[in-house]
C-alpha cells in the first residue's frame, strides 16, 4: 500500500491554478496568514459570516478538554441564519432550492418561501410539544420537506437525528431509543430506481417493536410516494393537513452557541453506532466558512449541487447548513444517478446550469465505467469547480472528473473530513493551491493537522503514520450522545489532547497529505462508513450462524466491498447449498441493518484464521477476499486453515 502511494506521489501531475482563477479567488491569497491566528481566526469568521442575537466575547474554552466550547457566551438561531436574515437583507427572491424529483417533477423554492415553510413547520412542532433540547428523528427521502424539517427543529433549539432512509426498522428503532426521540418526521415513501420505497411502514414497524414501548408521541408524515399507509389515530399527523394550515408567523429565539443542534449516528469499531453530537455556533461558523472558501462560492451567481443525502454528514453540512447560511442557490435531487437513464446527473447539470458539483469518488468511478459518451451528450460548460469527498479519489478518476466533467479546466478540491469533524479539515483552496490528483493536500486555514507514529511522536518530512488534529476546531464533535466515556476512549485516549481520526496518512516532499484509509475496523463502502463488528453481530444473530468475520475488500467501484466469512452451526451445515445460505444471509443483513450494509459476497467456510489468543486475523481474510497471495501467517495457530479457506472460496 505504502509503496503504491509512494509511486503515485512521485509520478503525480500538478495543476497550478489559472491566473484568472487565482486573481478572483474567494478565499484570498492571505488566507493562510490569517488562519495562523487559530481560534482568533475562527472568531473573525464567526462574526463575519453569521448573525449573532447576542455577540460573543469568549472564543474558545478548552479547559474541560476534550469537551470544547466555542463562542459560548454568544447567542444565535441557526435557522434564522440560514433563512430570515437573507430575506431581511433583500435576498428573499433568490432561489434557495431547485429540487428535482426522481420521476421528473420539480420545485423551485426561494429563500422567502423556504422561510415561510420553516416557520409553519416550527409552529406545528411547537403544537406537538417540541421544546428546546427535545430530540426529533427524521427519516425521509430527499425532498424539500426534509430540509424544512431539519431547519424547523433547529429553529426551536431542539435536536434532530436524521436517519438515512435506507436503514432498516431495527436500525431506526435503535437510534430513536438511544436519543429518546419524542417525534419522528417521515414520508409515506420516496422514489428510488423508478419505484416508490416505503418509509412510514418502516417507522410503524420500528415503533411497534418491543411491545410498542418507546419515547415517541407523534409521527409527522409528508405525502410523497402516495403508497398506502396504516394510520395510528392520535399519534400520526399528516404534514399537508398541519403544516400547510399553520401560521407562517414565527419569531426565531436566540439560543446559546453551545445549544446542541443535531445527533448523527455513525459506525465505529463496535457493534453499536455512536451518536455524534454537534452544537450550533461553532458548527455553523466552520460550515459556512468552508462552504464559501473551499467551493469558491459566489452566492449571487453560482448554482451549487452536492449530491449527498441529508442522512449523512455531507448532507447536513454541505446541503443544509453551509449553503443556506451562505445564501447559496442549490440543486437537490431525490433519486439515483441512473434513473430513468444513465445521463440523469448530466441532464440535471445542464437543466439548472450547475457551476459547482460536489460528489463522491464512487459515483465518479461508476460514471467512468459507463463511458464518457454519456456526459458528452449534455452541455456541462456551466461547471467551474468540482469537489470530491468520502474516500481517497484515485488519480485516474480525478483526471477523468476534471477532463470529462470539468472541461479539463475546473479545479478539483479533494476534501477530507468526517462526521466527527463536522466540516472540511483538509483540502486545497481553489485559486491558491497547486492541485495534485490523489492527495487531499493541506489543512485549511485555522486547522492544525499532524501525522504521528504509534508512540505518539511526530513523523517529520516524507513519512507515514496516523492522522491527528492537534488543536480544537469550531465544528468538532462535542461528544457521543449519552456516552462520554466512549467519546474519550475512541478519540482522545491514544494521543492525549490530540484528536485521533482513525485514518492513516502520508506526507510527501511538498508537505501535501495523502490519506491511506482507516486504520481501524471501519469500512468505507461507496463513501459510507460501515463497521465490521456491526455486520458480524448482525450475522451471528442469525440462528444459522456459528461464527462470522467481515472484512472490507478493495473494490474497483465502491472503494471497499463488504465480504463476510461465515461458519454455519453444525446443525445447519448441509441443509442449504453454500450459495443458498449465502443469499439468505446477505438478505438477513439487509433486513437487519439496511441495504447499504448487505455483504457483496459471503463465503461459507469451515474455519477462520485466528491468532493463538483467539483473535480473527482479518488481514489474512482480506488477502483471500482480494485474491492476493496470503501475507505473514506466523502468528496463526493452524497454518492449514488458510489453505482450507482458499479452496472453499475459489
Ligand atoms: C474517509 C464523510 C480520503 C476517511 C465526510 C474518514 C476520506 C471517513 C476523504 C469519514 C477524502 C472522507 N480522502 N478519505 N477526501 N473524505 N474520507 O464520517 O476514512 O462518513 O475517516 O464522513 O471517510 O467518513 P464520514
Amino acid at each position: 500500500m505504502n509503496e503504491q502511494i509512494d509511486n503515485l506521489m512521485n509520478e503525480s501531475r500538478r495543476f497550478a491554478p489559472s491566473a484568472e482563477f487565482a486573481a478572483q479567488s474567494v478565499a484570498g491569497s492571505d488566507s493562510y496568514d490569517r488562519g495562523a491566528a487559530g481560534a482568533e481566526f475562527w472568531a473573525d469568521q464567526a462574526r463575519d459570516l453569521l448573525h449573532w442575537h447576542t455577540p460573543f466575547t469568549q472564543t474558545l474554552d478548552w479547559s474541560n478538554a476534550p469537551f470544547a466550547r466555542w463562542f459560548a457566551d454568544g447567542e444565535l438561531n441557526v435557522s434564522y441564519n440560514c433563512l430570515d436574515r437573507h430575506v431581511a437583507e433583500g435576498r428573499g427572491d433568490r432561489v434557495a432550492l431547485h429540487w428535482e424529483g426522481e420521476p421528473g417533477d420539480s420545485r423551485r423554492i426561494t429563500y422567502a418561501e423556504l422561510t415561510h415553510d420553516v416557520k409553519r413547520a416550527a409552529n406545528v412542532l411547537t403544537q406537538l410539544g417540541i421544546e428546546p433540547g427535545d430530540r426529533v428523528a427524521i427519516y425521509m427521502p430527499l425532498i424539500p420537506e426534509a430540509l424544512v424539517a431539519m431547519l424547523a427543529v433547529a429553529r426551536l433549539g431542539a435536536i434532530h437525528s436524521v436517519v438515512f432512509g435506507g436503514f432498516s426498522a431495527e436500525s431506526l428503532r435503535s437510534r430513536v431509543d438511544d436519543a429518546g426521540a419524542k417525534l419522528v418526521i417521515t414520508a409515506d415513501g420516496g422514489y428510488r430506481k423508478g419505484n416508490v420505497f416505503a418509509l412510514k411502514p418502516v417507522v410503524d414497524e420500528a415503533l411497534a417493536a418491543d411491545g410498542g414501548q418507546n419515547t415517541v408521541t407523534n409521527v409527522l408524515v409528508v405525502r410523497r410516494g402516495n403508497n398506502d399507509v396504516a394510520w395510528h389515530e392520535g399519534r400520526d399527523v399528516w404534514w399537508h393537513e398541519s403544516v400547510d394550515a399553520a401560521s407562517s408567523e414565527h419569531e426565531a429565539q436566540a439560543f446559546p452557541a453551545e445549544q446542541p443542534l443535531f445527533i448523527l449516528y455513525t459506525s465505529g469499531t463496535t457493534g453499536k453506532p455512536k451518536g455524534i453530537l454537534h452544537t450550533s455556533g461553532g458548527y455553523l461558523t466552520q460550515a459556512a466558512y468552508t462552504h464559501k472558501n473551499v467551493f469558491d462560492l459566489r452566492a449571487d451567481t453560482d448554482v451549487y449541487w452536492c449530491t449527498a443525502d441529508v442522512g449523512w454528514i455531507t448532507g447536513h453540512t454541505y446541503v443544509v447548513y453551509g449553503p443556506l447560511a451562505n445564501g447559496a442557490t442549490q440543486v437537490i435531487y431525490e433519486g439515483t444517478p441512473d434513473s430513468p437513464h444513465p445521463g440523469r446527473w448530466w441532464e440535471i447539470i445542464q437543466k439548472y446550469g450547475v457551476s459547482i458539483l460536489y460528489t463522491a469518488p464512487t459515483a465518479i468511478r461508476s460514471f467512468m465505467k459507463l463511458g464518457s459518451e454519456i456526459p458528452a451528450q449534455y452541455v456541462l460548460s456551466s461547471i467551474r469547480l468540482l469537489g470530491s469527498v468520502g474516500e481517497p479519489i484515485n488519480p485516474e478518476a480525478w483526471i477523468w472528473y476534471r477532463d470529462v466533467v470539468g472541461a479539463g479546466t475546473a479545479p478539483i478540491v479533494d476534501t477530507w473530513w468526517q462526521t466527527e469533524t463536522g466540516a472540511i479539515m483538509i483540502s486545497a483552496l481553489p485559486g491558491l493551491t497547486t492541485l495534485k490528483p490523489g492527495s487531499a493536500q493541506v489543512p485549511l486555514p485555522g486547522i492544525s493537522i499532524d501525522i504521528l507514529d504509534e508512540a505518539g511522536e511526530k513523523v517529520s518530512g516524507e513519512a507515514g503514520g496516523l492522522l491527528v488534529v492537534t488543536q480544537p476546531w469550531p465544528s468538532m464533535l462535542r461528544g457521543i450522545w449519552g456516552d462520554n466515556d466512549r467519546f474519550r476512549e475512541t478519540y482522545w485516549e491514544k494521543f492525549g489532547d490530540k484528536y485521533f481520526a482513525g485514518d492513516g496518512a502520508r506526507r510527501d516532499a511538498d508537505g501535501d497529505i495523502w490519506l491511506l484509509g482507516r486504520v481501524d475496523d471501519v469500512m468505507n463502502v461507496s463513501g459510507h462508513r460501515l463497521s465490521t463488528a456491526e455486520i458480524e453481530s448482525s450475522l451471528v444473530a442469525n440462528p444459522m450462524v456459528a461464527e462470522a468475520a467481515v472484512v472490507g475488500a478493495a473494490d474497483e467501484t465502491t472503494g471497499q466491498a463488504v465480504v463476510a466469512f461465515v461458519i454455519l452451526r453444525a446443525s445447519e451445515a448441509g441443509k442449504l447449498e453454500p450459495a443458498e445460505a449465502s443469499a439468505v444471509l446477505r438478505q438477513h443483513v439487509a433486513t437487519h441493518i439496511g441495504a447499504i450494509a448487505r455483504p457483496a459476497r459471503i463465503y461459507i467456510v469451515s474455519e477462520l484464521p485466528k491468532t493463538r489468543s483467539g483473535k480473527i486475523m482479518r488481514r489474512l481474510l482480506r488477502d483471500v477476499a482480494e485474491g492476493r497471495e496470503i501475507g505473514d501467517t506466523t502468528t496463526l495457530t493452524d497454518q492449514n486453515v488458510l489453505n482450507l479457506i482458499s479452496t472453499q472460496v475459489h
Side-chain angles (χ1 to χ4, degrees), residues 264 266-267 276 312-314 318 358 361 388-393 413-424 426 438-440 467 499 501-504 514-520 522-524 527-530:
L264 185 59
T266 189
S267 298
I276 303 299
W312 311 112
I313 191 66
T314 307
Y318 298 108
Y358 189 32
S388 171
V389 61
E391 55 178 316
I393 175 166
V413 286
D414 175 1
T415 62
W416 178 88
W417 59 296
Q418 308 177 298
T419 305
E420 292 87 341
T421 71
I424 298 171
I426 304 178
S439 166
L467 190 76
Y499 169 85
D503 279 29
W514 296 69
L515 276 307
L516 304 179
R518 304 286 308 190
V519 296
D520 52 17
V522 172
M523 297 173 286
N524 190 327
H528 298 142
R529 273 166 70 168
L530 295 170

Side-chain angles (χ1 to χ4, degrees), residues 262-572:
F262 64 85
I263 304 168
L264 185 59
Y265 287 85
T266 189
S267 298
T269 50
T270 71
K272 186 174 172 263
K274 31 187 192 191
I276 303 299
L277 176 68
H278 283 286
T279 61
S280 302
Y283 170 78
L284 197 62
T285 298
Q286 198 172 329
Y289 171 80
T290 52
H291 180 255
K292 183 173 168 183
N293 291 281
V294 173
F295 299 113
D296 194 60
L297 180 78
R298 288 151 223 279
D300 47 353
T301 50
D302 273 318
V303 178
Y304 163 87
W305 182 20
C306 166
T307 63
D309 188 272
V310 292
W312 311 112
I313 191 66
T314 307
H316 282 61
T317 309
Y318 298 108
V319 175
V320 184
Y321 294 110
L324 296 177
N326 288 331
T329 294
Q330 68 175 321
V331 171
I332 54 174
Y333 170 54
E334 178 187 32
T336 45
D338 51 357
S339 286
H341 60 80
R344 192 63 201 276
W345 275 21
W346 319 121
E347 178 184 71
I348 292 173
I349 291 174
Q350 171 177 303
K351 176 172 174 185
Y352 295 105
V354 170
S355 55
I356 303 170
L357 178 68
Y358 189 32
T359 193
T362 184
I364 299 164
R365 289 192 297 263
S366 327
F367 290 129
M368 259 175 93
K369 254 196 191 161
L370 292 174
S372 311
E373 322 73 79
I374 299 171
Q377 292 160 20
Y378 299 87
V379 179
L380 306 180
S381 56
S382 53
I383 293 281
R384 66 176 195 89
L385 188 103
L386 299 168
S388 171
V389 61
E391 55 178 316
I393 175 166
N394 48 313
E396 194 193 357
W398 197 104
I399 300 288
W400 186 91
Y401 194 28
R402 179 168 163 110
D403 285 349
V404 176
V405 187
T409 54
I412 297 180
V413 286
D414 175 1
T415 62
W416 178 88
W417 59 296
Q418 308 177 298
T419 305
E420 292 87 341
T421 71
I424 298 171
M425 303 291 278
I426 304 178
S427 168
L429 281 180
L432 269 63
T433 316
T434 291
L435 303 173
K436 209 185 272 178
S439 166
Q441 303 203 283
V442 282
L444 289 182
I447 299 296
S448 307
I449 298 278
D450 236 324
I451 301 177
L452 307 183
D453 64 18
E454 274 289 340
E457 293 300 320
K458 263 169 108 136
V459 300
S460 51
E462 277 179 84
L466 303 171
L467 190 76
V468 294
V469 189
T470 58
Q471 296 292 330
W473 62 103
S475 63
M476 70 192 291
L477 75 167
R478 299 301 198 265
I480 294 176
W481 183 258
D483 202 343
N484 287 345
D485 291 342
R486 191 174 177 196
F487 172 56
R488 284 198 191 85
E489 280 158 26
T490 310
Y491 307 105
W492 305 95
E493 203 155 72
K494 201 167 172 75
F495 299 125
D497 61 348
K498 298 182 180 79
Y499 169 85
F500 172 48
D503 279 29
R506 279 179 79 73
R507 193 189 294 109
D508 70 13
D510 302 324
D512 282 320
I513 295 170
W514 296 69
L515 276 307
L516 304 179
R518 304 286 308 190
V519 296
D520 52 17
D521 291 330
V522 172
M523 297 173 286
N524 190 327
V525 179
S526 299
H528 298 142
R529 273 166 70 168
L530 295 170
S531 136
T532 53
E534 193 181 355
I535 299 176
E536 284 167 4
S537 69
S538 161
L539 283 166
V540 296
N542 186 294
M544 276 163 58
V545 175
E547 246 190 299
V550 168
V551 296
D555 182 279
E556 235 178 63
T557 308
T558 58
Q560 286 188 316
V562 179
V563 177
F565 295 82
V566 166
I567 304 178
L568 296 181
R569 281 180 196 279
S571 56
E572 298 292 327

